[in-house]
Amino acid sequence: MTKFFFGNWVTRCYLFAVAVTVVILLGANLATGSQEPSFAAVYLIGLTAPVSVIFAPIALLGDGWLAIAMLWISVVAGALLNTLLINTIVGEVGRFRSQRVQA
C-alpha cells in the first residue's frame, strides 16, 4: 500500500499538493470559526478533479453538514482515483523506457 501512495516522485508531489491544500482549508476554517467550505475548497476540488467536480460542484454545495460530507468524500475519491491514474501512467512510461533500453 505504501508503494501505491508513495511509489514514485510524481505521486508524492501530487499527494503533497493535496495535503497542503487540505491544511490550508482546515486552517482557514479554524481561523474563521466556520465549518463551511472556504474558497480554498475550490483549489482542493481543482486538484482532485474530475471526480470531485462531478460529485461536489461548489455552486451546488450550499450549506449544512451534507455539503461538507459531499466535499470531503468527493475529494478523497478524486485523490485516490488520480493517484491510481498517475501510478498507471508513470508505470507504463517506465516499462516503455526499460524496453527501449534493452532493445
Side-chain angles (χ1 to χ4, degrees), residues 21-65:
T21 308
V22 166
V23 168
I24 290 171
L25 176 64
L26 292 176
N29 286 349
L30 288 174
T32 60
S34 172
Q35 297 301 320
E36 298 300 318
S38 65
F39 191 72
V42 174
Y43 296 117
L44 193 57
I45 289 174
L47 276 173
T48 57
V51 173
S52 58
V53 172
I54 294 169
F55 292 115
I58 283 291
L60 300 177
L61 281 178
D63 294 336
W65 67 271

Side-chain angles (χ1 to χ4, degrees), residues 1 15 28 34 37 47 84 87 95 100:
M1 188 63 115
L15 291 175
S34 172
L47 276 173
L84 176 68
N87 282 332
R95 279 191 220 122
R100 187 173 161 199

